[in-house]
Amino acid sequence: MQFELKDKIALVTGASSGIGREIALALAEKGAKVALVARNVQSLTKVKQKINDKGEVAELFSQDLTKLDEISDLVEKIRNYFGGTVDLLVNNAGTAVFGLVENVPIDVYEEIFKVNFFAPLALVQGVVPAMKEKGSGQIVSITSGVGKRGLPGLSPYCATKFSLNALTESIRVELGPFGIN
């Protein structure tokens, strides 16, 4: 199944660097209007400028994804800015802490779960109603091999990626009948 990107609104988290930056640049090159989401405004500004300099469309939205109660407002800001709803959600932002399970405090696990699992979930919940209404949409979750096999010293990260894999598989089945992949 081919998904046409021209003039579609794409929301990319973790767009200030790494994989998220490259995804944002590639989507813009294919004609998508890209909502760049991350905390680092300085880096987001550079990504936005690079896209805009090529005559492509992007806007930055500075957001700390641990602030889960602000995510519905973020989706609304993106809708208002672009004058339409999100067609493609790329849940890319992620964080990790290294340490043995007995040395990593529970509150650190909670923070990692906020960014790596609960923020993607909140974003999915924020975009799905409009996608259902349109009868189309794409949701992409960037996970990891450690979401299938745990490694010592990475239990917080592994646990979040296992969870994100399970969520993504569940919504794939749940949302498929509505034209959402």
Side-chain angles (χ1 to χ4, degrees), residues 154-173:
L154 284 174
S155 65
Y157 185 71
C158 295
T160 63
K161 294 303 180 174
F162 266 86
S163 297
L164 186 57
N165 281 335
L167 172 68
T168 303
E169 177 61 17
S170 294
I171 65 173
R172 181 190 66 78
V173 175

Side-chain angles (χ1 to χ4, degrees), residues 3-16:
F3 185 76
E4 177 60 43
L5 290 168
K6 181 84 174 120
D7 296 322
K8 293 289 192 333
I9 299 170
L11 188 170
V12 181
T13 65
S16 60

